[in-house]
């Protein structure tokens, strides 16, 4: 699922072992976990100023999304899949 926002020829865009998923991740968990995930980088999209102005946006971007990702990772592991290493960057 490589995204067009990566420059052509950049390592993430050309590496067959990397899938890049953009968008509201709570709506895309089926896409993210369609195949077993071993490493997951969550790069929160809302910046501090946005989160300060809209606390609900900050909670959705930072708390709700990472919680949903961790729940999906646990569910993957509970069904015999790998437990992904998770890195959340804000």
């Amino acid at each position: 699922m490589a995204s067009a926002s990566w420059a052509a020829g950049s390592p993430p865009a050309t590496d067959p072992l990397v899938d890049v998923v953009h968008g509201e991740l709570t709506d895309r968990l089926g896409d993210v976990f369609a195949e077993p995930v071993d490493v997951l980088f969550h790069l929160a999209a809302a910046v501090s100023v946005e989160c300060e102005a809209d606390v609900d946006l900050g909670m959705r971007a930072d708390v709700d999304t990472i919680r949903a990702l961790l729940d999906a990772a646990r569910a993957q592991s509970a069904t015999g899949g790998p437990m992904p290493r998770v890195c959340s960057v804000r």
Side-chain angles (χ1 to χ4, degrees), residues 13 16 22 27 39 41-42 68:
H22 284 235
D27 296 337
V39 178
F41 287 89
H42 173 235

Side-chain angles (χ1 to χ4, degrees), residues 3-81:
S3 170
S5 67
W6 290 99
S10 69
T14 58
D15 189 331
L17 299 176
V18 175
D19 288 330
V20 178
V21 179
H22 284 235
E24 188 65 42
L25 288 179
T26 54
D27 296 337
R28 311 260 333 256
L29 288 176
D31 296 333
V32 173
F33 287 90
E35 295 182 26
V37 174
D38 11 355
V39 178
L40 181 65
F41 287 89
H42 173 235
L43 308 173
V47 295
S48 181
V49 173
E50 290 176 304
C51 294
E52 291 170 11
D54 184 348
V55 173
D56 290 333
L57 169 66
M59 293 299 285
R60 280 192 314 274
D62 293 339
V63 177
D64 297 342
T65 301
I66 195 65
R67 178 179 289 147
L69 288 168
L70 292 172
D71 287 345
R74 262 196 316 265
Q76 172 181 275
S77 177
T79 59

